[in-house]
Amino acid sequence: MMVASGKLKGINVTVGAQNFSFIGGSFGSASGEAFIYGVQHAIDNHTPFIFFCCSGGIRMMESALALQQMSRVIIAINELRKNKLPYIVILTNPSYGGVTASMGMLGDIQIAEPKSQIGFAGKRVIEQTIGETLPEEFQKAEYIKDHGGVDLVVPRKDLRDTIGTLITILLKKNK
Protein backbone atom coordinates (compact mmCIF):
# COMPACT_ATOMS: atom_id res chain seq x y z
CA MET A 1 0.00 0.00 0.00
CA MET A 2 1.23 3.44 -0.86
CA VAL A 3 -0.16 6.75 0.44
CA ALA A 4 0.62 10.10 -1.16
CA SER A 5 -0.68 13.65 -1.22
CA GLY A 6 -0.81 16.13 -4.04
CA LYS A 7 -3.12 18.24 -6.14
CA LEU A 8 -5.81 17.20 -8.59
CA LYS A 9 -7.27 20.03 -10.66
CA GLY A 10 -5.91 22.48 -8.10
CA ILE A 11 -7.50 20.64 -5.15
CA ASN A 12 -5.32 19.11 -2.43
CA VAL A 13 -5.98 15.35 -2.19
CA THR A 14 -4.72 12.32 -0.30
CA VAL A 15 -4.44 9.10 -2.30
CA GLY A 16 -3.95 5.45 -1.32
CA ALA A 17 -3.09 2.66 -3.75
CA GLN A 18 -2.54 -1.06 -3.46
CA ASN A 19 0.23 -2.83 -5.36
CA PHE A 20 -0.94 -6.13 -6.82
CA SER A 21 2.69 -7.05 -7.56
CA PHE A 22 3.27 -7.48 -3.81
CA ILE A 23 1.53 -10.67 -2.59
CA GLY A 24 -1.43 -10.06 -4.88
CA GLY A 25 -2.24 -6.72 -3.27
CA SER A 26 -3.35 -8.62 -0.20
CA PHE A 27 -4.36 -6.50 2.77
CA GLY A 28 -2.83 -7.13 6.19
CA SER A 29 -2.00 -5.28 9.38
CA ALA A 30 0.66 -3.01 7.82
CA SER A 31 -1.69 -2.20 4.93
CA GLY A 32 -4.41 -1.36 7.44
CA GLU A 33 -2.07 1.01 9.24
CA ALA A 34 -1.15 2.67 5.94
CA PHE A 35 -4.79 3.08 4.96
CA ILE A 36 -5.68 4.55 8.35
CA TYR A 37 -2.67 6.87 8.14
CA GLY A 38 -3.93 8.05 4.73
CA VAL A 39 -7.40 8.71 6.12
CA GLN A 40 -5.96 10.56 9.12
CA HIS A 41 -3.77 12.64 6.80
CA ALA A 42 -6.88 13.51 4.76
CA ILE A 43 -8.74 14.55 7.92
CA ASP A 44 -5.82 16.56 9.35
CA ASN A 45 -5.36 18.38 6.03
CA HIS A 46 -9.07 18.60 5.10
CA THR A 47 -8.58 16.79 1.80
CA PRO A 48 -10.64 14.20 -0.06
CA PHE A 49 -9.32 10.62 0.16
CA ILE A 50 -9.01 8.68 -3.09
CA PHE A 51 -8.32 4.95 -2.91
CA PHE A 52 -7.19 2.70 -5.76
CA CYS A 53 -8.23 -0.85 -4.90
CA CYS A 54 -6.30 -3.71 -6.50
CA SER A 55 -6.32 -6.82 -4.38
CA GLY A 56 -6.93 -10.52 -4.16
CA GLY A 57 -8.30 -9.96 -0.63
CA ILE A 58 -7.27 -10.02 2.99
CA ARG A 59 -3.81 -11.47 3.82
CA MET A 60 -5.03 -14.69 5.45
CA MET A 61 -1.55 -15.80 6.52
CA GLU A 62 -1.81 -13.02 9.13
CA SER A 63 -5.08 -14.59 10.35
CA ALA A 64 -7.12 -12.51 12.80
CA LEU A 65 -4.74 -9.54 12.58
CA ALA A 66 -5.55 -9.17 8.89
CA LEU A 67 -9.29 -9.67 9.41
CA GLN A 68 -9.33 -6.97 12.10
CA GLN A 69 -8.25 -4.47 9.47
CA MET A 70 -11.67 -4.70 7.83
CA SER A 71 -13.42 -3.17 10.83
CA ARG A 72 -10.60 -0.70 11.50
CA VAL A 73 -10.73 0.75 7.99
CA ILE A 74 -14.52 1.02 8.15
CA ILE A 75 -14.19 3.08 11.34
CA ALA A 76 -11.62 5.28 9.57
CA ILE A 77 -13.95 5.78 6.59
CA ASN A 78 -16.73 6.78 8.99
CA GLU A 79 -14.38 9.44 10.40
CA LEU A 80 -13.98 10.85 6.88
CA ARG A 81 -17.77 11.09 6.68
CA LYS A 82 -18.02 12.81 10.08
CA ASN A 83 -15.54 15.37 8.76
CA LYS A 84 -17.56 15.75 5.53
CA LEU A 85 -14.63 14.71 3.35
CA PRO A 86 -15.20 12.80 0.10
CA TYR A 87 -14.01 9.22 -0.19
CA ILE A 88 -13.73 7.99 -3.78
CA VAL A 89 -12.81 4.40 -4.63
CA ILE A 90 -11.40 3.24 -7.94
CA LEU A 91 -11.74 -0.52 -8.37
CA THR A 92 -9.01 -1.82 -10.66
CA ASN A 93 -8.41 -5.36 -11.87
CA PRO A 94 -8.76 -7.42 -9.73
CA SER A 95 -10.63 -6.19 -6.66
CA TYR A 96 -11.68 -9.15 -4.54
CA GLY A 97 -12.30 -10.51 -1.09
CA GLY A 98 -12.41 -8.65 2.19
CA VAL A 99 -10.86 -5.57 0.59
CA THR A 100 -13.87 -5.21 -1.68
CA ALA A 101 -16.20 -6.16 1.17
CA SER A 102 -14.84 -3.34 3.34
CA MET A 103 -13.13 -0.21 2.03
CA GLY A 104 -13.60 -1.11 -1.63
CA MET A 105 -17.37 -0.64 -1.67
CA LEU A 106 -17.83 2.11 0.92
CA GLY A 107 -16.86 5.13 -1.14
CA ASP A 108 -19.13 8.07 -1.66
CA ILE A 109 -18.61 7.08 -5.27
CA GLN A 110 -17.29 3.76 -6.64
CA ILE A 111 -15.56 3.92 -10.00
CA ALA A 112 -14.46 0.77 -11.79
CA GLU A 113 -12.02 0.49 -14.65
CA PRO A 114 -13.43 -1.26 -17.75
CA LYS A 115 -13.49 -5.05 -17.61
CA SER A 116 -12.16 -5.11 -14.02
CA GLN A 117 -12.98 -8.25 -12.05
CA ILE A 118 -14.78 -7.25 -8.84
CA GLY A 119 -16.26 -9.45 -6.14
CA PHE A 120 -16.02 -11.09 -2.76
CA ALA A 121 -15.53 -14.72 -3.81
CA GLY A 122 -14.59 -15.97 -7.24
CA LYS A 123 -17.19 -16.94 -9.83
CA ARG A 124 -16.32 -20.66 -9.65
CA VAL A 125 -16.70 -20.69 -5.84
CA ILE A 126 -20.11 -19.01 -6.09
CA GLU A 127 -21.26 -21.40 -8.83
CA GLN A 128 -20.23 -24.42 -6.76
CA THR A 129 -21.97 -22.98 -3.69
CA ILE A 130 -25.30 -22.17 -5.36
CA GLY A 131 -25.25 -25.03 -7.87
CA GLU A 132 -25.96 -22.77 -10.86
CA THR A 133 -24.02 -21.40 -13.79
CA LEU A 134 -23.57 -17.64 -13.69
CA PRO A 135 -23.48 -15.33 -16.74
CA GLU A 136 -20.14 -15.05 -18.53
CA GLU A 137 -19.85 -11.34 -17.67
CA PHE A 138 -20.61 -11.91 -13.97
CA GLN A 139 -18.20 -9.92 -11.74
CA LYS A 140 -17.02 -7.71 -14.60
CA ALA A 141 -17.19 -3.95 -13.96
CA GLU A 142 -19.86 -3.31 -16.59
CA TYR A 143 -22.14 -6.06 -15.25
CA ILE A 144 -21.73 -4.78 -11.70
CA LYS A 145 -22.54 -1.22 -12.80
CA ASP A 146 -25.66 -2.43 -14.62
CA HIS A 147 -26.75 -4.13 -11.37
CA GLY A 148 -26.09 -1.13 -9.10
CA GLY A 149 -22.78 -2.22 -7.54
CA VAL A 150 -20.63 0.63 -8.87
CA ASP A 151 -21.50 4.13 -9.96
CA LEU A 152 -19.27 4.57 -13.00
CA VAL A 153 -17.02 2.59 -15.32
CA VAL A 154 -14.24 4.90 -16.47
CA PRO A 155 -11.13 4.14 -18.56
CA ARG A 156 -7.85 4.91 -16.78
CA LYS A 157 -7.02 7.73 -19.20
CA ASP A 158 -10.21 9.56 -18.14
CA LEU A 159 -9.90 9.03 -14.37
CA ARG A 160 -8.08 12.29 -13.64
CA ASP A 161 -10.80 14.48 -15.17
CA THR A 162 -13.66 12.36 -13.80
CA ILE A 163 -12.31 12.27 -10.23
CA GLY A 164 -11.48 15.99 -10.35
CA THR A 165 -15.03 16.84 -11.40
CA LEU A 166 -16.56 14.55 -8.77
CA ILE A 167 -14.41 15.98 -5.98
CA THR A 168 -15.37 19.52 -6.96
CA ILE A 169 -19.06 18.58 -6.78
CA LEU A 170 -18.73 16.64 -3.50
CA LEU A 171 -16.77 19.38 -1.76
CA LYS A 172 -19.46 21.96 -2.66
CA LYS A 173 -22.21 19.61 -1.49
CA ASN A 174 -20.48 18.96 1.86
CA LYS A 175 -19.97 22.62 2.77
Side-chain angles (χ1 to χ4, degrees):
M1 166 88 76
M2 183 173 25
V3 176
S5 61
K7 288 189 181 273
L8 178 61
K9 290 197 163 193
I11 300 168
N12 290 325
V13 295
T14 305
V15 181
Q18 292 177 283
N19 180 356
F20 193 79
S21 297
F22 184 74
I23 315 176
S26 60
F27 199 79
S29 51
S31 309
E33 287 298 321
F35 184 92
I36 292 166
Y37 170 82
V39 168
Q40 190 60 54
H41 183 274
I43 292 168
D44 291 345
N45 293 280
H46 307 290
T47 65
F49 188 60
I50 303 164
F51 180 64
F52 287 81
C53 182
C54 186
S55 178
I58 298 295
R59 194 170 296 158
M60 294 312 299
M61 60 277 227
E62 288 185 19
S63 65
L65 294 175
L67 289 172
Q68 288 171 347
Q69 302 315 305
M70 291 175 70
S71 58
R72 293 183 72 227
V73 299
I74 291 168
I75 291 167
I77 293 165
N78 285 335
E79 290 300 312
L80 279 172
R81 291 203 172 100
K82 285 180 189 174
N83 285 276
K84 296 183 178 182
L85 294 170
Y87 173 50
I88 296 179
V89 177
I90 298 84
L91 299 154
T92 66
N93 188 41
S95 294
Y96 271 104
V99 172
T100 303
S102 56
M103 71 268 217
M105 298 306 276
L106 292 176
D108 296 309
I109 296 178
Q110 273 79 236
I111 301 171
E113 289 187 319
K115 299 187 181 8
S116 291
Q117 297 270 25
I118 303 165
F120 181 68
K123 180 180 174 184
R124 187 180 66 226
V125 172
I126 296 169
E127 286 177 333
Q128 290 173 352
T129 301
I130 65 173
E132 294 182 27
T133 302
L134 296 167
E136 184 63 36
E137 66 279 3
F138 184 75
Q139 294 186 324
K140 291 269 195 314
E142 294 76 7
Y143 181 90
I144 293 168
K145 179 186 174 286
D146 290 344
H147 291 83
V150 297
D151 300 301
L152 300 166
V153 175
V154 178
R156 189 167 287 193
K157 68 180 182 59
D158 298 328
L159 282 174
R160 183 177 189 268
D161 287 336
T162 301
I163 295 167
T165 300
L166 291 170
I167 286 173
T168 302
I169 293 166
L170 290 171
L171 287 173
K172 286 180 183 173
K173 176 185 168 245
N174 289 340
K175 282 188 178 182

